[in-house]
Amino acid sequence: MMDIHKILQKLPHRYPFLLVDRVLEVEKNVRIRALKNVTINEPFFQGHFPNRPVMPGVLMLEALAQTAALLAFETQGEGVDENSVYYFVGIDGARFKRPVEPGDQLFLDVQMDRNKGGIYKFNAQALVGEELAVSAQLMCTVRKVS
C-alpha cells in the first residue's frame, strides 16, 4: 500500500494533474491496484460538461498511465528524480465503456505484460465498482536525462 505522500515521492505530477490518490496493492513486476477519488472539485468538470459532468477519457487513460509508472518505479526500486522522465510511448485498444462522474471511485488496475529493452507494456483497466469504465494497452518507458 502507498499513501499520497509516497506517491508524491515516486511521481513528478502535482495538482491538478496528479490523478492517483492511493495505491491499494502492488506486486513488483506483476500488477498494481490504485484508487482515484473523483470529486466535483476537479478543475476539468467546469467545462466537461457543465450540465452533465463526466471525467474526460484522456484523463482516465492518464490516471492509468500514472498507475503504470508507479508499478515501473516499484519494479526498478527507484522513485522520480530530476534525471528520470517517464514517457508514454503508445496506447492501443482503448475502449470506453462507462462514464465516470463526480462521486465515483475509479479503481485503476494495471498488469505488466512485459519489460523489454526499457519499454514497458501494460494491460490496464479502470472500474467503478464492478463496472468497467475504460481498458487499454499502454506502453511506456523511463529514461534518464541530463
Side-chain angles (χ1 to χ4, degrees):
M1 196 159 99
M2 197 181 299
D3 65 13
I4 192 64
H5 304 290
K6 290 181 182 173
I7 292 169
L8 289 168
Q9 291 172 357
K10 299 275 184 190
L11 293 179
H13 306 81
R14 297 297 180 260
Y15 178 84
F17 214 66
L18 180 62
L19 298 173
V20 179
D21 294 322
R22 177 173 298 274
V23 172
L24 303 171
E25 303 171 29
V26 63
E27 286 181 64
K28 290 181 185 182
N29 284 312
V30 179
R31 67 180 189 87
I32 188 169
R33 183 162 219 223
L35 174 65
K36 164 66 178 152
N37 291 306
V38 181
T39 71
I40 193 63
N41 297 324
E42 309 279 356
F44 50 80
F45 283 135
Q46 293 178 30
H48 198 266
F49 301 99
N51 296 326
R52 180 68 181 193
V54 296
M55 185 175 187
V58 295
L59 293 182
M60 288 188 272
L61 290 171
E62 176 63 27
L64 287 167
Q66 289 179 20
T67 303
L70 289 166
L71 179 56
F73 284 130
E74 279 294 298
T75 295
Q76 290 182 340
E78 299 177 10
V80 70
D81 62 33
E82 63 275 0
N83 297 320
S84 295
V85 180
Y86 187 81
Y87 292 110
F88 233 151
V89 296
I91 303 171
D92 293 320
R95 297 289 181 263
F96 300 94
K97 301 291 187 178
R98 177 200 193 280
V100 175
E101 301 174 319
D104 286 342
Q105 286 191 312
L106 194 60
F107 290 92
L108 308 161
D109 292 325
V110 176
Q111 293 185 340
M112 189 177 298
D113 185 33
R114 72 172 186 250
N115 173 11
K116 186 174 181 181
I119 302 288
Y120 292 87
K121 186 173 182 182
F122 303 96
N123 294 313
Q125 63 179 14
L127 300 104
V128 175
E130 299 294 319
E131 292 183 69
L132 182 64
V134 61
S135 62
Q137 292 179 329
L138 310 175
M139 288 187 295
C140 309
T141 189
V142 178
R143 295 282 185 231
K144 294 286 186 182
V145 295
S146 51

